[in-house]
Amino acid sequence: MFPSVPVRITRLVSALLVLSCGVMLVAPLSLASAASPGSEVIGGLIFYGVTAGAYGVLPFVRRGDIAVVAIWLVLAVGVAPCVEGRELSAPHMFADMAGVLMAALPIYLARYRQIVQGDMRQYRRRDTDAPATSGPAAS
């Protein structure tokens, strides 16, 4: 079954968002350095765009995996100035982490609301998987 047109358009827009934010993040003449060299807000917004776009582009990837990869990306971008001999910038790293958390938090809050409302899922991930016995599968 093919996704409907609005779903395809949403995924395309999400992919373009991730691509454009990624280019802004790594380009030598990036938007962050053009606006102001010490702007933490722009970096946070770029990471928000990358993370939110990744959730749109990868709907079947676990939500925790996307957040973990985004945090690793924050760490890599934060440590990258050390390669040139500069120091880490804690405000920039915390702003970037805030951008990731702003994108990931609504997804976790929505799942929390589902759990509070009684929507408890089984251990299996898909209907085609074998039904779970008692507890997580051992071995």
Side-chain angles (χ1 to χ4, degrees), residues 10 50 54:
T10 303
V50 167

Side-chain angles (χ1 to χ4, degrees), residues 1-123:
M1 175 192 273
F2 293 106
S4 64
V5 173
V7 172
R8 280 190 245 160
I9 291 173
T10 303
R11 291 183 75 186
L12 178 65
V13 168
S14 297
L16 291 174
L17 177 69
V18 170
L19 182 65
S20 62
C21 286
V23 167
M24 285 190 288
L25 188 64
V26 297
L29 300 173
S30 68
L31 177 65
S33 63
S36 70
S39 177
E40 291 87 8
V41 175
I42 302 261
L45 290 175
I46 288 172
F47 272 99
Y48 172 78
V50 167
T51 308
Y55 279 116
V57 171
L58 306 167
F60 298 110
V61 175
R62 294 183 294 186
R63 60 187 170 269
D65 292 346
I66 292 174
V68 167
V69 168
I71 291 295
W72 276 105
L73 185 62
V74 166
L75 182 64
V77 169
V79 174
C82 294
V83 174
E84 295 179 343
R86 294 185 293 161
E87 292 185 5
L88 292 173
S89 174
H92 281 111
M93 286 186 71
F94 284 123
D96 295 345
M97 282 190 275
V100 170
L101 291 176
M102 283 189 309
L105 193 61
I107 292 167
Y108 283 98
L109 288 176
R111 180 62 189 143
Y112 174 74
R113 286 183 49 142
Q114 287 176 339
I115 290 172
V116 169
Q117 293 170 356
D119 178 14
M120 297 301 293
R121 296 181 181 162
Q122 300 297 320
Y123 283 111

